[in-house]
Amino acid sequence: MTTVRLTVGQAVVRFLAAQRSERDGTQHRLIGGCFGIFGHGNVAGLGQGLLEAELEAEPGGGLRYLQGRNEQAMVHAAAAFARTRNRMSTLACTSSIGPGATNMVTGAALATINRLPVLLLPGDVFATRVADPVLQQLEQPNAQDISVNDAFRPVSRFFDRVWRPEQLPSALLAAMRVLTDPAETGAVTLALPQDVQAEAYDWPAELFRERVWPIPRTPPDPAAVTRAAEMIRSARRPLIVAGGGVIYSGATHAVKSFADAFGIPVGQTQAGKGTMRFDDPLCAGAIGATGTTAANELAARADVVIGIGTRWSDFTTASRSLFAEPGVRFVNINVASFDAAKQSGVAVVADARAALDALALALAGWTTEPAHRARAADLSARWQATVEAAYTTRHQPRPAQAEVIGVVNEVSADTDIVLSAAGSMPGDLHKLWRTRDTGGYHAEYGYSCMGYEIAGGLGAKLAAPDREVFVMVGDGSYLMMASELVTAVQEGVKLVVVCVDNHGFASIGNLSESVGSQRFGTSYRYRGPGGRLDGGFLPVDLAANAASLGVYVLRTRTIEEFRQALVKARAADRTTLVYIETDPMAGAPSSDAWWDVPVAEVATLASTRDARARYEKAKERQRPYL
Ligand SMILES: Cc1ncc(C[n+]2csc(CCOP(=O)(O)OP(=O)(O)O)c2C)c(N)n1
Ligand SMILES: [Mg+2]
């Protein structure tokens, strides 16, 4: 057997550079690069391996190193990269031990919830223990084989710790399998003790050959298709709910022809919003708590709901209050049996495109009544009028966020990407964004993690350099993590960042008010004379902050100024932040749907008691789907 003598760090890098994914006959590099922040836990291992690879690589080969500012942000960027590449490629992230590693835990949870592949390589404590406790080691007196990296276990789809070099091949192969399994994918964590990373071993040369990981289009069980077709044929007012699985499968055309052929309107979850053009007569737009009145009215009366690639989050089902028809039943097309079994649905465990093709054959000759299509088209047209009005309210003195969204929609080209994650922005975008292209809408709403926006924008742009990326970020999210602006500047990766400043956590302010908590603790104010946080607004200058990081900044006040600045930002050749203040009280049009946020059952405050009464009333509409 031919062997190659390399350290574990060098071997990991060489292995990752040789992995490919394949679907529908097209191959991709599986690992597009490696983000890293070095410390004693990885500088001499993976860090040294990445350096050698960079020095030895042919152009376009090796494993490109990207320098991060914050380990959490590196993982967000990797997740956004994977999402933009439809999970065919992702990035690796290497960190030191201790805080560098645990900074990645939040990113791991985000990736796993959103079913996005990311490869995490945290450094770990000494395997040999000779020098224990190493700097940053958390010692468990009762278990010496535990380190902080065990915190990755519950948030990863695969976790392994490589205590000995001999374990590396099996760890790497298992990691690639999970990254490329559409049903299992998520965060994959290989914890690498810092001494092991630098240790040499004679690896079989075979380990480093190019490997192709096929991403399957799992066909459905014919009996499941028959059951699903029977249920759909019995429907009079069916509705499709398209989730992220539609997009990852590349099934948007399949959904469109299925909807057209059988006359079934399509509501979309946050992850599924790229599925259909906004002006398609059967596109009912966003569904659920942040949905359109069109999709939500169709949902309220639907007798059969066909979920495709959705995990049925509470935002989608309006906390199980949305589907109100007494006999409503579900068909679930999903690669993961876990999701396919939800809502007591007929489970069709399969790739979305493969399942729709099979189901279309089984439904041949059937269609809904013309009145159903007409009603869907009518409701959607009415919602589009609502959107138009929200885009053009001309709210004074500061504009409404909906107007900002309208301008971004107007200035962006069809294939540009709009990206958001937390605050009022993703909900408003879900309702109001006029989707024109698959992949043009990127809201991270599985974890809805403040701080994802800029890091995610970086990942999306790295994955799609030919598309403009509009990062929509609130002041709260900006303050939580704007660090990757520096990485964007460093890499010459151009983002358009729209920073919407409403002086605090407006979304939570509104939520707080609705649960009777009077917007407590949600705006950015000084402590006032009475000892409460009700003084004047804080003098935070986020535009100056961005400029200090090397970003080109355009400050705007009116919506007209904003439009002009945005045109300029889109044409610019470097990362540009457009700053605008909006009115936190000017909300988007209502979805008429509910979201279950429990209200205090006893309270001295009248506002809370009133909210509790409303809450108890709303809960009456909630039901299990059994
Ligand atoms: C990491 C994290 N912490 C807390 C929350 C809860 N949360 C959701 S939105 C929000 C406020 C966001 O403020 P901002 O970015 O200014 O957006 P706005 O609500 O003002 O639109 C908070 C605190 C969260 N989603 N993520
Ligand atoms: Mg805000």
Side-chain angles (χ1 to χ4, degrees), residues 7 9-10 13-14 34 38 42-57 62-66 94:
T7 68
Q10 292 156 0
V13 172
R14 189 175 292 195
C34 183
F38 300 125
N42 60 343
V43 68
L46 269 165
Q48 197 276 347
L50 284 163
L51 167 64
E52 283 201 358
E54 187 168 296
L55 295 175
E56 290 165 14
L63 197 64
R64 178 180 175 200
Y65 165 67
L66 295 147
T94 165

Side-chain angles (χ1 to χ4, degrees), residues 527-592:
R527 199 164 286 287
R532 305 191 62 216
L533 292 178
D534 58 2
F537 283 103
L538 298 178
V540 182
D541 185 342
L542 300 180
N545 179 279
S548 79
L549 301 178
V551 170
Y552 178 46
V553 172
L554 296 164
R555 290 174 189 264
T556 66
R557 274 182 41 252
T558 64
I559 208 74
E560 233 356 274
E561 282 173 18
F562 177 71
R563 179 179 284 106
Q564 283 164 19
L566 203 63
V567 170
K568 214 166 148 187
R570 191 178 184 283
D573 61 359
R574 57 195 169 122
T575 290
T576 304
L577 180 138
V578 184
Y579 175 87
I580 187 157
E581 283 179 65
T582 56
D583 184 344
M585 308 302 275
S590 167
S591 67
D592 291 345

Side-chain angles (χ1 to χ4, degrees), residues 401 422-425 448-450 474-477 480 502 504-508:
Q401 183 162 283
S424 52
M425 192 55 84
S448 187
C449 185
M450 288 171 73
D475 51 325
S477 276
M480 203 167 276
N502 51 27
F505 305 148
S507 54
I508 308 300

Side-chain angles (χ1 to χ4, degrees), residues 299-315:
R301 299 202 50 217
D303 48 3
V304 171
V305 184
I306 307 161
I308 312 175
T310 172
R311 63 191 192 96
W312 293 116
S313 81
D314 64 347
F315 262 77

Side-chain angles (χ1 to χ4, degrees), residues 278 280-285 292 294-295 298 375-385:
F278 77 100
D280 191 301
L282 284 170
C283 177
T292 69
L298 290 164
R375 180 157 178 268
D378 181 47
L379 287 169
S380 295
R382 266 194 268 164
W383 177 258
Q384 280 313 322

Side-chain angles (χ1 to χ4, degrees), residues 72 76 106 401 421-426 428 444-445 447-453 472-480 500-511 521-522 524 542 582 584 595:
Q72 183 188 135
H76 292 339
T106 296
Q401 183 162 283
S424 52
M425 192 55 84
D428 289 2
E444 187 286 290
Y445 216 61
Y447 213 37
S448 187
C449 185
M450 288 171 73
Y452 173 87
E453 293 88 347
M472 308 291 280
V473 62
D475 51 325
S477 276
Y478 181 95
L479 277 173
M480 203 167 276
V500 180
D501 193 349
N502 51 27
H503 302 282
F505 305 148
S507 54
I508 308 300
N510 293 333
L511 180 62
T522 60
Y524 289 176
L542 300 180
T582 56
W595 184 38

Side-chain angles (χ1 to χ4, degrees), residues 203-279:
W203 311 97
E206 184 71 4
L207 179 63
F208 306 110
R209 70 168 168 84
E210 188 176 286
R211 250 163 243 271
V212 180
W213 299 86
I215 298 189
R217 291 203 175 277
T218 307
D221 170 25
V225 172
T226 306
R227 276 194 294 276
E230 248 169 52
M231 185 177 284
I232 295 169
R233 277 176 188 276
S234 75
R236 302 202 52 220
R237 294 178 305 279
L239 174 70
I240 290 170
V241 175
V246 169
I247 294 170
Y248 299 141
S249 153
T252 52
H253 295 296
V255 169
K256 160 116 182 93
S257 35
F258 190 88
D260 281 343
F262 306 113
I264 310 178
V266 183
Q268 294 117 52
T269 72
Q270 281 278 15
K273 192 167 153 84
T275 299
M276 250 179 166
R277 268 193 71 94
F278 77 100
D279 51 3

Side-chain angles (χ1 to χ4, degrees), residues 295-563:
N296 288 350
E297 277 188 42
L298 290 164
R301 299 202 50 217
D303 48 3
V304 171
V305 184
I306 307 161
I308 312 175
T310 172
R311 63 191 192 96
W312 293 116
S313 81
D314 64 347
F315 262 77
T316 299
T317 65
S319 302
R320 295 225 163 105
S321 69
L322 191 65
F323 303 103
E325 186 72 18
V328 62
R329 287 166 307 163
F330 295 81
V331 169
N332 292 319
I333 298 172
N334 208 297
V335 279
S337 64
F338 175 73
D339 291 314
K342 288 176 177 175
Q343 323 283 52
S344 307
V346 169
V348 181
V349 180
D351 166 70
R353 199 201 280 179
L356 285 171
D357 289 350
L359 205 49
L361 281 178
L363 286 171
W366 174 83
T367 182
T368 58
E369 282 167 24
H372 188 52
R373 278 179 207 251
R375 180 157 178 268
D378 181 47
L379 287 169
S380 295
R382 266 194 268 164
W383 177 258
Q384 280 313 322
T386 306
V387 172
E388 188 57 38
Y391 277 8
T392 52
T393 42
R394 314 219 59 93
H395 194 79
Q396 295 292 339
R398 279 174 291 165
Q401 183 162 283
E403 296 172 80
V404 170
I405 291 172
V407 172
V408 178
N409 196 271
E410 179 198 313
V411 171
S412 56
D414 283 7
T415 54
D416 292 352
I417 297 173
V418 68
L419 186 145
S420 70
S424 52
M425 192 55 84
D428 289 2
L429 283 169
H430 193 212
K431 285 180 195 171
L432 300 175
W433 185 257
R434 291 173 168 168
T435 314
R436 296 152 299 182
D437 184 70
T438 307
Y441 182 84
H442 182 140
E444 187 286 290
Y445 216 61
Y447 213 37
S448 187
C449 185
M450 288 171 73
Y452 173 87
E453 293 88 347
I454 289 167
L458 173 68
K461 184 72 182 179
L462 285 168
D466 51 337
R467 301 176 81 157
E468 291 292 329
V469 177
F470 289 81
V471 172
M472 308 291 280
V473 62
D475 51 325
S477 276
Y478 181 95
L479 277 173
M480 203 167 276
M481 201 160 53
S483 49
E484 269 17 67
L485 284 173
V486 176
T487 312
V489 170
Q490 177 177 45
E491 291 289 340
V493 164
K494 186 215 161 176
L495 304 176
V496 178
V497 179
V498 175
C499 180
V500 180
D501 193 349
N502 51 27
H503 302 282
F505 305 148
S507 54
I508 308 300
N510 293 333
L511 180 62
S512 169
E513 193 165 318
S514 77
V515 297
S517 297
Q518 308 183 356
R519 307 186 88 89
F520 176 64
T522 60
S523 63
Y524 289 176
R525 292 168 180 272
Y526 283 106
R527 199 164 286 287
R532 305 191 62 216
L533 292 178
D534 58 2
F537 283 103
L538 298 178
V540 182
D541 185 342
L542 300 180
N545 179 279
S548 79
L549 301 178
V551 170
Y552 178 46
V553 172
L554 296 164
R555 290 174 189 264
T556 66
R557 274 182 41 252
T558 64
I559 208 74
E560 233 356 274
E561 282 173 18
F562 177 71
R563 179 179 284 106

